[in-house]
Amino acid sequence: MIELEKALQILKKHLLSPGKETVPLSASPGRYLAEDLRADRDMPPFHKASMDGFACRKADLPGPLDVLELLPAGQVPTERLGAGQCSRIMTGGQVPEGADCVIMQEYVEKESDKRIRFNGSYSESYICRKGEDLKKGAFLLKEGTFLEPQHLGMMAAVGKSRLLVTRRISAGILATGSELVDVAQVPEGAQIRNSNSMQLAAQVQRAGHTAELSGIVRDDKDLLAEKISALMERFDLLLVTGGASVGEFDLVPGVLRDLGFSSEFDRVAVQPGKPLTFAQGKGKVCFGLSGNPVSCFVQFEMLVKPFLCWSAGGDLPHRRIRCRMENGFTRRKSDRLFFLPVVLRPGGGCAPVEYHGSAHLHALGKLAGFAELAAGKTTLKRGEEVDVRLI
Ligand code: AMP
Ligand code: MG
């Protein structure tokens, strides 16, 4: 059995290299950026009014001021302002030369059609200065960034209509267990539905890659070997759920070895999720994950997700926050790093969700993340601070 950190170090030695491709900006959310992005121009690109009003010289206030021209957004000013002059300007309009402030229309009185007076008190210029947000050439986004909606606007603003991203890794997902039936089937006798494959496919997709459901195979060594061997040919990565433990029908680790793959580890000191085989060879990798639904979920988040993220050039597989425990929590055994499903509470707190162990699939539906208890630590006191990995 190895520590999680050690397992992650081993994974880093066997990362995949999916290569790069160019995609349109609209197809970039959920992809890993494969180039550094810089600003192609100053932002804003000109001195810009941030209010509807009149562009003028502060020294001339309160006026009266002669109105020279109308400057809606998108129009280049034709007149330079001199003493006692102003131009009507709209939010987003280019501030004319000579002006050093914009006064809000709410504080302006009209003396005539072409003459106004300021009746407010001056507080700020209401001008966004050229380049104040970003200078031309400034660093914008780092290679490896996992692209999300908040990145799209900034990339659009600097003209990245197409960009270089990492190719998606293709993952096959195989469930093994003689008790398993397809989701659409009604289980009979001692059968249960295969819930893990769907869950894993969604996890792979959320991590920015593609997943294909590759069916269910009985606990039969030959069938399993045949199926795994075929799938390892087709996909970059294979996720097998079930049969990874030490029971009589836990055949996955042995089958992988028989097929000539090198098993790098098969137990990780985490709870839930200890039985976990990682095997590699011929440029392909396979994770043999637990059949227990919560264990399988945790193993993906803690090991497979970082593997996929790093393989794609990303460096931040998890978001972590510090939270205060709203209730205490105690566990009996403390030999492994423990992941406790929690919900977040207003005011920076978190609370454990009802959790009956690694088969308790419904606990997953409520959680916001997992609070970490280091090996050796049995108790979290009420009010104690913990690290929570957000899901
Ligand atoms: P195993 O890892 O094969 O020993 O399975 C551990 C537990 O998880 C058993 O109770 C299995 O019935 C259950 N299980 C295995 N595979 C799945 C699956 N694909 N979906 C839901 N539960 C599963
Ligand atoms: Mg099984």
Side-chain angles (χ1 to χ4, degrees), residues 175-176 179-180 192-196 241-244 250 290-293:
T176 174
E179 74 281 31
L180 301 175
I192 59 163
R193 291 196 176 99
N194 167 20
S195 57
N196 290 353
T241 165
D250 290 324
S290 175
N292 273 313

Side-chain angles (χ1 to χ4, degrees), residues 84-284:
Q85 295 180 323
C86 69
S87 285
R88 176 89 171 106
I89 195 164
M90 302 298 147
T91 303
Q94 180 170 350
V95 175
E97 273 184 54
D100 60 5
C101 69
V102 170
I103 51 174
M104 286 168 68
Q105 62 190 26
E106 288 82 347
Y107 301 109
V108 163
E109 279 162 36
K110 258 188 178 176
E111 291 200 340
S112 72
D113 254 9
K114 288 273 170 204
R115 211 169 158 79
I116 59 139
R117 172 181 287 277
F118 183 51
N119 63 13
S121 61
Y122 183 90
S123 61
E124 56 179 298
S125 79
Y126 296 120
I127 295 175
C128 303
R129 307 213 70 85
K130 179 177 180 333
E132 83 175 18
D133 293 342
L134 211 57
K135 290 269 183 293
K136 180 179 174 174
F139 195 80
L140 209 57
L141 283 177
K142 191 164 135 242
E143 179 174 352
T145 303
F146 184 67
L147 297 173
E148 297 186 88
Q150 63 268 32
H151 301 118
L152 273 273
M154 57 199 278
M155 293 193 289
V158 300
K160 285 306 282 186
S161 60
R162 296 179 68 74
L163 46 126
L164 207 55
V165 297
T166 308
R167 279 182 197 281
R168 293 189 201 271
I169 292 167
S170 68
I173 296 177
L174 178 66
T176 174
S178 301
E179 74 281 31
L180 301 175
V181 297
D182 189 65
V183 180
Q185 245 173 285
V186 180
E188 287 174 11
Q191 294 178 330
I192 59 163
R193 291 196 176 99
N194 167 20
S195 57
N196 290 353
S197 292
M198 285 288 174
Q199 179 177 289
L200 282 171
Q203 287 177 292
V204 169
Q205 284 156 11
R206 186 170 63 174
H209 300 285
T210 59
E212 190 178 301
L213 300 175
S214 309
I216 300 170
V217 64
R218 279 194 281 121
D219 291 315
D220 175 295
K221 208 170 171 184
D222 295 335
L223 286 179
L224 199 55
E226 201 180 305
K227 190 82 184 178
I228 289 181
S229 155
L231 294 175
M232 288 290 259
E233 290 284 323
R234 270 187 59 204
F235 296 100
D236 305 321
L237 165 84
L238 181 62
L239 302 180
V240 184
T241 165
S245 191
V246 291
E248 200 168 324
F249 294 100
D250 290 324
L251 306 168
V252 174
V255 163
L256 284 165
R257 273 191 289 273
D258 291 350
L259 288 172
F261 294 98
S262 153
S263 171
E264 304 297 328
F265 53 82
D266 55 17
R267 273 138 57 91
V268 182
V270 293
Q271 186 188 4
K274 177 167 75 170
L276 188 155
T277 291
F278 173 68
Q280 55 81 31
K282 307 165 211 167
K284 304 293 177 84

Side-chain angles (χ1 to χ4, degrees), residues 51-62:
M51 288 288 175
D52 294 317
F54 293 82
C56 58
R57 307 180 344 156
K58 191 181 162 201
D60 293 343
L61 295 178

